Amino acid sequence: MAVEGGTPAPPRSQWWDVWDQFKTHKGAMAGAFVFLVILLGVILGPWLWSIDPQAIDIRARNSGPTLAHPFGTDQLGRDTLARMIAGGQTSMAVGITAMLLSLVVGTAVGVLAGYFRRLDGILMRLTDLFLALPLLPLLLVIILLFRDRLRAVFGPETGIFLLIVFVIGITSWMQTARIVRGDVLAIKEREFVLAAKSIGTPAHRMIFRHILPNVLSPIMVSATLGIATAIITESALSFLGLGFPSDYPTWGRLLYDATDYLQQYPERVIWPGIAISLTVLSVNYIGDGLRDALDPRIRGR
């Protein structure tokens, strides 16, 4: 395409084409908007709502929504809105950190299995082994075995955070590994890869310069869906009472603490339940939009 004066316009970046396709997906745009609102809410919330989530006011305990406490208070008089914001920070941190860990492990296993045929059988049988393990009972066993030790070494809050991030990340990489392996098997037979091999390009340079840039699409989709999986898993662990302690709120922990008061104060379950549902649903829609936008067959229509 030419501009005024006959000067050719610079070529459009591939990412502009991805954005053009992504913004046509109404569900993905709505999901991105909701996720951004939630993310900004938990990040900026402490500056907009300065009540200490641990502050106890026995006189205001079990109160309903008021101007002073829009989401009400719990059985100790702690502000539910402040605890929702603090819990969102923890849940989001766990989701993003665990996703990054699972993404690194899954990508490494997938690339090695797809590129080095001698490692393929071993790594894929290891992946099948992890897929065959019952996830939730395995997480419960690991947490029960190592929770007290890590708390003693890193402190009660940091220790349980590191443990939960590790166990979620190390047990959720398998789908990424399989997807990446399949793409690597196809890409390494392409002409540009064969040409690079013919001139003696070393394996590590081949992987980082030619293989990894061409498998970014499935990795990005797995990243978005991995956040949702990690948040759901952390919420399940906290709901079972094996996640964070009660003085370190997460959305799952707020659900767990509210179960004893479900009939008298059902709103205590509704608020964290809505937060978890909206976050997971919005992330899933973003993943669907990215999957469509990164598919060259759809972008070319």
Side-chain angles (χ1 to χ4, degrees):
M1 183 177 67
V3 297
E4 186 178 353
T7 304
R12 281 171 58 89
S13 169
Q14 177 187 355
W15 296 108
W16 280 113
D17 295 334
V18 171
W19 167 246
D20 287 341
Q21 180 64 37
F22 180 83
K23 66 184 182 182
T24 62
H25 194 297
K26 295 181 179 179
M29 291 299 292
F33 175 77
V34 172
F35 184 75
L36 183 61
V37 168
I38 295 174
L39 190 61
L40 290 177
V42 300
I43 293 175
L44 303 178
W47 284 273
L48 301 175
W49 191 254
S50 57
I51 295 179
D52 185 358
Q54 303 301 340
I56 296 176
D57 184 4
I58 295 297
R59 294 173 299 178
R61 66 192 182 99
N62 295 326
S63 69
T66 63
L67 291 177
H69 306 287
F71 285 8
T73 60
D74 64 5
Q75 68 277 10
L76 297 178
R78 295 174 295 190
D79 184 75
T80 302
L81 176 57
R83 291 176 64 78
M84 283 286 297
I85 295 172
Q89 291 176 344
T90 306
S91 295
M92 287 289 191
V94 169
I96 293 173
T97 310
M99 175 273 294
L100 291 174
L101 176 60
S102 67
L103 210 63
V104 169
V105 176
T107 301
V109 172
V111 169
L112 293 176
Y115 190 81
F116 299 103
R117 296 300 295 175
R118 62 182 180 275
L119 298 177
D120 189 19
I122 299 173
L123 293 177
M124 285 299 100
R125 298 298 75 75
L126 178 65
T127 303
D128 293 338
L129 174 63
F130 271 85
L131 285 171
L133 292 173
L135 180 58
L136 193 57
L138 176 63
L139 294 176
L140 298 179
V141 170
I142 295 175
I143 289 176
L144 288 174
L145 287 176
F146 296 101
R147 179 174 55 181
D148 294 336
R149 300 177 188 177
L150 286 177
R151 282 178 174 177
V153 175
F154 296 102
E157 296 179 356
T158 305
I160 196 65
F161 178 84
L162 293 176
L163 178 59
I164 289 179
V165 166
F166 177 78
V167 296
I168 294 176
I170 209 65
T171 55
S172 57
W173 53 268
M174 294 79 71
Q175 297 297 335
T176 302
R178 285 194 161 195
I179 293 171
V180 171
R181 171 186 174 269
D183 280 7
V184 171
L185 287 174
I187 290 171
K188 77 173 189 176
E189 301 299 328
R190 300 272 184 87
E191 291 79 1
F192 67 93
V193 175
L194 297 176
K197 284 183 179 180
S198 67
I199 61 175
T201 304
H204 69 275
R205 187 177 179 86
M206 185 79 70
I207 289 173
F208 287 103
R209 289 290 300 274
H210 301 289
I211 301 295
L212 273 179
N214 287 281
V215 296
L216 282 180
S217 299
I219 292 175
M220 290 177 63
V221 175
S222 296
T224 57
L225 301 179
I227 295 176
T229 302
I231 290 176
I232 286 289
T233 306
E234 181 277 322
S235 299
L237 292 173
S238 295
F239 184 77
L240 293 173
L242 293 174
F244 291 90
S246 59
D247 57 347
Y248 197 66
T250 68
W251 289 335
R253 183 71 202 195
L254 293 177
L255 278 175
Y256 173 75
D257 292 340
T259 51
D260 294 335
Y261 306 90
L262 179 59
Q263 293 184 346
Q264 300 94 327
Y265 311 104
E267 67 275 4
R268 294 188 194 172
V269 177
I270 292 174
W271 299 126
I274 288 176
I276 294 171
S277 300
L278 285 179
T279 302
V280 172
L281 189 63
S282 63
V283 169
N284 283 332
Y285 272 116
I286 292 172
D288 288 342
L290 279 177
R291 182 181 58 209
D292 293 345
L294 292 168
D295 189 338
R297 294 169 297 182
I298 297 178
R299 283 207 317 273
R301 292 176 182 175

